Amino acid sequence: MNDPRALPGEPLALDLVNTELAPDGTVVDLLATAESARAWAAAAGRVRLSVSDALAPARTLQTGEPAWQPAVLAAANLLDLLETAPDRVRPCANPDCMLWFFDTTRNGTRRWCSMAVCGNRMKARRHHDRVKARLPA
Ligand SMILES: [Zn+2]
């Protein structure tokens, strides 16, 4: 099964924020159907919960309703991110993009959800604007 997530590798809370994306200008909701929501949850790894052991202690969160477990885990993850590095949770600098990311770069200067997609689009746009500005009217 292909990973449907917009930015695999981002923290769980941002995976949940990024379930709406517009890769070609049309908004896609990764949680629109039960089937797509299950595919996203399986890719995010949230449906496979394990009990911690002495070698790998882990926080266990439980809700009365199992359907709420993914949302509770995402909320807990977001609180962790906001407590440890709130300035590193950012929206993509491409104004046409709706994705968020957690900046793990050493100097904290990441601007794009993906350099290969939004970074290159914005570079091409700036180049186009510079060339256009030099042309006579
Ligand atoms: Zn982007």
Side-chain angles (χ1 to χ4, degrees), residues 12 23 34 38 48 51 53 63 69 73 95 100 106 117:
L12 178 62
R38 275 193 295 275
R48 286 172 268 143
V51 177
D53 59 31
T63 63
Q69 189 76 12
L73 290 173
W100 287 68
R106 184 180 304 182
V117 179

Side-chain angles (χ1 to χ4, degrees), residues 3-103:
D3 189 337
R5 294 176 298 163
L7 299 173
E10 290 294 331
L12 178 62
L14 297 179
D15 269 349
L16 187 58
V17 168
N18 292 334
T19 55
E20 277 196 348
L21 57 149
D24 57 5
T26 303
V27 176
V28 174
D29 182 352
L30 299 178
L31 304 179
T33 67
E35 183 179 331
S36 65
R38 275 193 295 275
W40 176 83
R46 292 195 278 108
V47 295
R48 286 172 268 143
L49 301 177
S50 61
V51 177
S52 63
D53 59 31
L55 297 177
R59 190 178 346 173
T60 301
L61 300 173
Q62 294 183 328
T63 63
E65 177 63 43
W68 282 99
Q69 189 76 12
V72 169
L73 290 173
N77 180 239
L78 181 60
L79 289 175
D80 286 344
L81 294 175
L82 295 177
E83 284 175 5
T84 57
D87 57 324
R88 296 282 181 127
V89 178
R90 297 192 204 119
C92 179
N94 176 356
D96 297 330
C97 183
M98 47 199 313
L99 299 180
W100 287 68
F101 60 86
F102 185 65
D103 185 355

